[in-house]
Each structure stands twice: as C-alpha cells, then as structure tokens.
Amino acid sequence: GSGQKILPVVDVCRPISDGNALTSNRKKIDKTFQVKYLLPIQAGIGQSVRVAYGERSPILETVQYVSNLKTIISSSKTGSNKLILVSDLLQHSESISSYKKQYQVPESLVADLSNWDIHVLQPARYGKDKSFQTKQNNDMWKAYFKTSGVKSDVNIQVLP
C-alpha cells in the first residue's frame, strides 16, 4: 500500500569463488565466499520461511523494483544479471491476487528483465493455500517472465 517500503532480507553480491591454484589462497577464497555470501543467503532464506504470513505478498512489485535497479547492479563483466527468487509465487497485492480464480498481470507491473537470468525456488505451501499453487499459477509466472524479456525459459523448482 501507500508508504509501504520493500526492503531486502539479504543484499549481497557474489564474491569470487575460484582462483588460480598457484597464485591464490584457496582457503581464504572459500572462507570469504562462505562468510560474505553463502551464509547470509542461507540465513535470509531461513528467516523468511519462519516469518508469519503477512496480509500482502507483492511479488510482482518486488521483481519490478529489482529490475529498476539494473543501473546500480548491472554486471560489467557479462552484461547480464541473475535473480534467484525464493517465493511461493502466491502474489497478493492491491493490483493482483493469486487467490482469485483467474487473473491477468496489469501492463503497469511488467518489468524489464532483458539480459536477466531468473531462477525460482518455490517452497511448497501446506494447508488451505496449497490448492493455489497450481500449474496454471506457475504458467502465469513463466508467461510473465517471458513477456518481461528474460533471456531463457524460467525453471520453477518446487521445494518440499
């Protein structure tokens, strides 16, 4: 809603995870990768799945927000960005809701994801919300990413 701020749980850049065996300190590279990248991401995922469910789940708005940061997070080496989205993909905001039988993404929420690789990890929901995690819902997300210009087909990996 108005005045709502979307803040990341974890905000890290992936450090170097490999190096020259002759000139690099492999133990130091591994420790830096673990401490500055892998552990914060694992902690962020753990924290987000322990949090009580909220009234809103503005996934589309968040993806659009992240895509608008491309000038800040653009990769100068490859010219592309990677987004790993950990979400149940049950969108619920003022604009659109997965809890309605049929819905269509408004044009205003289509992000510019050209030159992005998207990987989706979808924790399975249980209880009454499980019935909303349908093939139709995931197909809508795949179509959304395609419309947004994602470089390749998006694979949605369902987590137990």
Side-chain angles (χ1 to χ4, degrees):
S2 62
Q4 179 176 325
K5 293 189 179 201
I6 301 172
L7 300 173
V9 174
V10 176
D11 186 6
V12 294
C13 291
R14 185 176 188 263
I16 295 171
S17 58
D18 58 1
N20 184 311
L22 296 174
T23 61
S24 300
N25 183 335
R26 185 72 203 162
K27 285 184 179 181
K28 184 176 180 182
I29 290 172
D30 288 344
K31 184 176 181 179
T32 300
F33 181 78
Q34 290 280 330
V35 171
K36 293 193 175 205
Y37 183 72
L38 197 56
L39 292 175
I41 287 178
Q42 289 172 336
I45 291 171
Q47 176 187 346
S48 69
V49 296
R50 284 192 305 268
V51 174
Y53 296 51
E55 293 177 16
R56 290 182 231 159
S57 182
I59 306 164
L60 290 164
E61 293 85 350
T62 304
V63 169
Q64 186 178 52
Y65 173 77
V66 169
S67 77
N68 289 334
L69 296 175
K70 65 184 164 197
T71 56
I72 298 170
I73 59 177
S74 179
S75 171
S76 59
K77 281 186 178 179
T78 63
S80 66
N81 295 305
K82 182 183 288 187
L83 174 65
I84 300 172
L85 177 63
V86 181
S87 172
D88 62 8
L89 299 181
L90 295 178
Q91 165 77 25
H92 186 65
S93 67
E94 292 85 3
S95 304
I96 183 173
S97 178
S98 297
Y99 296 96
K100 296 181 179 174
K101 293 284 186 205
Q102 295 206 352
Y103 58 93
Q104 189 170 0
V105 176
E107 182 80 24
S108 63
L109 289 180
V110 175
D112 178 10
L113 297 171
S114 51
N115 293 319
W116 284 70
D117 286 315
I118 309 291
H119 299 274
V120 180
L121 303 175
Q122 182 186 40
R125 293 290 293 266
Y126 297 95
K128 66 179 183 173
D129 288 343
K130 181 178 182 171
S131 65
F132 294 103
Q133 282 186 316
T134 63
K135 181 182 182 315
Q136 179 185 3
N137 188 64
N138 284 3
D139 287 346
M140 185 284 303
W141 280 97
K142 289 177 182 180
Y144 168 77
F145 289 125
K146 187 173 187 167
T147 301
S148 297
V150 172
K151 289 177 18 173
S152 58
D153 289 339
V154 174
N155 180 34
I156 298 174
Q157 181 181 351
V158 179
L159 305 175

